[in-house]
Amino acid sequence: MILCAGESLIDMVPEDGAFRPLAGGSVYNTAIALGRLGEDVAYLWPISRDPFGDVLLRPLSEAGVNTDLCPRTDRLTTLALVTLSGGEARYSFYDEGSAGRMLTPQDIPALPSSIMALFAGGISLVPDPCGAAIESLIARDGDRLPVMLDPNIRPFFIADPASYRARLSRLIARADIVKLSGDDLEWMYPDMAPADAARQVLAEGPRLVLQTGGAEGARAHWAGEMIQVPAIRTTVADTIGAGDTFNAAVLASLRRQGVLSKAGLASINGAQIVAALTLGAQAAAITVSRPGANPPWSHEMPG
């Protein structure tokens, strides 16, 4: 079972001059996508008892995501006001004192033996106490479980860039797989070309650094020659959830190929990486072809 630990929230998405509340959040979307792809997946994040908490739980249940590790709380659900510009999503967060943000390291439970890998990232890494809670989970269990990290950096959400850079550095050093967009790499290393920045991240410890670029496809930096897989051409509705879906499909492919383990990632080969990137591109293409974070079900995938 793959454990996704990180934020869930309500995206207030523009629709016909108003806003429609939709379940979302970077790590939450990845958990949903893994479940829809037929993977055995669990989710860890506080869920509010407010009405939006029920909105969040419903898609998790429908996708078969295990929520036994999700504490319930009377604190309110985080809201993200979404605006679209040229199909690109921009966010304003309402998060002070929210259910997720107040997660503490002491709230992190012991993991069941069925957990085989960890996925973390998104805005849940930024503020405390929740950022410290996710970091403590990775510090505690990352030596025995493979860790995939996607910071999904939102600069306007980061009040203390120096502190966040320090946390990212610690997390990257513990991660086995790191996925970074061009925007992420530009924020982390503004004076470096994206490919050079990705190789710099690789030098910090991960086995794989995945560099995504929307229509430009995805690249993998690893011990061998750089690998590139093109994006799947499609009509783009918007990009909400595309990277999250890519993450899920990469994890699903690695699990199916039997390399989603410390030993497996240490001996991974180019063909296995190509297969993972290809499934990621196929799944992301379906998500961007329809509005909102709506990742594909297994029966919608090619082949």
Side-chain angles (χ1 to χ4, degrees), residues 26 89-91 93 123 126 151-158 184:
S26 175
R90 296 289 182 267
Y91 301 84
F93 292 93
I123 62 170
V126 180
N152 198 18
I153 296 168
R154 308 291 186 192
F156 55 83
F157 193 75
I158 302 169
D184 294 336

Side-chain angles (χ1 to χ4, degrees), residues 45-69:
W45 195 247
I47 301 292
S48 176
R49 294 189 183 92
D50 68 13
F52 284 137
D54 295 331
V55 174
L56 290 168
L57 285 171
R58 192 173 305 114
L60 290 167
S61 176
E62 291 171 351
V65 179
N66 184 301
T67 57
D68 291 348
L69 295 176

Side-chain angles (χ1 to χ4, degrees), residues 185-202:
L185 290 164
E186 183 178 358
W187 186 86
M188 293 171 68
Y189 296 99
D191 298 325
M192 298 177 70
D196 293 335
R199 285 189 288 270
Q200 177 62 40
V201 175
L202 182 69

Side-chain angles (χ1 to χ4, degrees), residues 230-254:
I232 308 297
R233 291 189 176 275
T234 188
T235 301
V236 176
D238 62 53
T239 61
I240 300 173
D244 311 324
T245 301
F246 175 86
N247 294 335
V250 165
L251 286 167
S253 176
L254 295 174

Side-chain angles (χ1 to χ4, degrees), residues 75-260:
R75 294 184 181 276
L76 299 177
T77 300
T78 297
L79 301 182
L81 195 67
V82 183
T83 55
L84 299 175
S85 177
E88 293 290 327
R90 296 289 182 267
Y91 301 84
S92 300
F93 292 93
Y94 297 82
D95 190 47
E96 289 296 329
S98 68
R101 183 162 184 171
M102 301 312 293
L103 178 73
T104 70
Q106 292 73 35
D107 295 327
I108 300 294
L111 301 185
S113 59
S114 57
I115 301 298
M116 64 176 295
L118 299 176
F119 174 83
I123 62 170
S124 55
L125 303 179
V126 180
D128 286 328
C130 66
I134 298 301
E135 185 173 0
S136 71
L137 169 66
I138 293 173
R140 188 190 69 189
D141 295 294
D143 288 341
R144 64 183 183 87
L145 298 174
V147 175
M148 182 174 181
L149 185 73
D150 177 9
N152 198 18
I153 296 168
R154 308 291 186 192
F156 55 83
F157 193 75
I158 302 169
D160 186 348
S163 176
Y164 183 55
R165 287 180 188 277
R167 172 168 286 157
L168 266 189
S169 181
R170 296 191 298 270
L171 290 171
I172 286 170
R174 286 186 169 272
D176 300 274
I177 307 167
V178 178
K179 196 290 288 286
L180 297 162
S181 68
D183 288 344
D184 294 336
L185 290 164
E186 183 178 358
W187 186 86
M188 293 171 68
Y189 296 99
D191 298 325
M192 298 177 70
D196 293 335
R199 285 189 288 270
Q200 177 62 40
V201 175
L202 182 69
E204 295 179 30
R207 297 287 185 180
L208 279 175
V209 174
L210 307 181
Q211 174 190 348
T212 57
E216 297 176 5
R219 298 179 178 183
H221 303 268
W222 62 304
E225 291 293 318
M226 188 270 290
I227 293 171
Q228 183 164 10
V229 169
I232 308 297
R233 291 189 176 275
T234 188
T235 301
V236 176
D238 62 53
T239 61
I240 300 173
D244 311 324
T245 301
F246 175 86
N247 294 335
V250 165
L251 286 167
S253 176
L254 295 174
R255 202 279 310 164
R256 294 168 189 175
Q257 295 182 81
V259 293
L260 189 56

